[in-house]
Amino acid sequence: MGKASLMTDVAVSLSQVVRRHPDGTVALAGVDLDVPVGAAFGLVGPSGAGKSSLARLVEGLDQPTSGRIRVLGVELGTASDQARRDVQRRTGVVFQHFNLLEQRTARDNVGLPLAFAGVDASARARRSDEMLELVGLGGLGHRYPSQLSGGQKQRVGIARALVARPSLLVLDEATSALDPVAARAILDLLRDLRAQSPITLLAITHQPEVVHALCSQVAVLEHGAIVRQGAPAEVLS
């Protein structure tokens, strides 16, 4: 099998990725990482390890100082604006602090990716209601974020991340802002959802329990570098 064929089996690939902040601080120091298509992959590390910088690169929000990043078959550094937007549409992200629009209902928040894609209002509403039902919030689409608990807000965030049927789901510290009971419920929901639709999952977190609950592979990031990689039971023991 040639290299081109191999790359089609990789959803996210980082090759010698360096990220320096404007003040000269090195956030990532030559990271090499491959996330296979269909994998449930965890990236774990302490605060300050470089996880947020890596997440922003994969999400297309930042550019590396040097190195190459390929997401869903597209090399982000050389891709056209249209190609990068296509990758972002095919990537769902669940954020730590929900990132919901307070002035919009749960239904409208879920439907935002479809609105950006030009889907008409009636189709958006139907699909959004389907996703709210799927995450256990059926009948609550009319509520605003201020009327929802933290766990319910994160369920809205998950529904929004999945509404456009993405190929890649990135969990960016998705349970860090939740109490233990709500966090466990979200992890159970994510595990059930992935069993129904086995898309590629990249969980970026400082919480080993997230990796144990969701992932079959894990890499440990420390001081901007990958220091260990393998099965969670071995790497995180």
Side-chain angles (χ1 to χ4, degrees):
M1 184 181 294
K3 186 174 181 61
S5 297
L6 286 171
M7 290 306 298
T8 64
D9 296 329
V10 178
V12 177
S13 178
L14 282 73
S15 177
Q16 285 296 295
V17 168
V18 173
R19 171 66 177 168
R20 289 190 183 89
H21 295 310
D23 64 1
T25 304
V26 177
L28 298 172
V31 171
D32 290 308
L33 182 69
D34 285 337
V35 178
V37 169
F41 197 101
L43 183 74
V44 66
S47 178
K51 300 187 307 299
S52 295
S53 294
L54 191 148
R56 289 182 62 83
L57 293 177
V58 172
E59 294 160 15
L61 301 177
D62 285 333
Q63 293 292 323
T65 305
S66 62
R68 300 169 62 185
I69 300 176
R70 181 179 290 266
V71 179
L72 301 178
V74 175
E75 188 169 329
L76 298 184
T78 58
S80 66
D81 290 343
Q82 179 60 45
R84 282 195 293 270
R85 284 194 294 269
D86 181 60
V87 169
Q88 288 179 322
R89 279 197 295 269
R90 296 168 59 205
T91 302
V93 183
V94 182
F95 299 96
Q96 177 180 4
H97 295 296
F98 321 130
N99 287 14
L100 303 181
L101 298 180
E102 293 293 332
Q103 71 275 22
R104 298 205 180 194
T105 63
R107 178 185 294 112
D108 288 342
N109 269 284
V110 171
L112 279 174
L114 301 180
F116 293 146
V119 177
D120 69 77
S122 61
R124 288 202 310 269
R126 287 194 301 271
R127 175 64 178 164
S128 297
D129 284 342
E130 289 174 5
M131 294 308 302
L132 287 168
E133 186 75 34
L134 187 64
V135 300
L137 296 180
L140 300 185
H142 63 285
R143 291 193 180 180
Y144 289 86
S146 62
Q147 299 172 306
L148 301 173
S149 69
Q152 288 174 326
K153 290 178 184 178
Q154 196 57 296
R155 288 172 183 263
V156 173
I158 293 168
R160 178 185 58 194
L162 295 174
V163 71
R165 298 179 175 89
S167 301
L168 170 66
L169 179 64
V170 178
L171 308 181
D172 191 352
E173 296 283 9
T175 61
S176 297
L178 302 176
D179 65 74
V181 173
R184 171 52 58 184
I186 290 298
L187 291 176
D188 289 343
L189 171 64
L190 287 166
R191 188 168 51 244
D192 291 344
L193 290 175
R194 191 173 181 279
Q196 299 173 40
S197 178
I199 64 175
T200 305
L201 173 69
L202 175 59
I204 300 172
T205 180
H206 71 276
Q207 299 174 303
E209 60 268 26
V210 173
V211 175
H212 283 298
L214 296 175
C215 302
S216 57
Q217 302 177 55
V218 62
V220 179
L221 189 67
E222 291 182 1
H223 305 296
I226 302 293
V227 296
R228 291 187 297 282
Q229 187 170 334
E234 299 170 358
V235 172
L236 302 179
S237 61

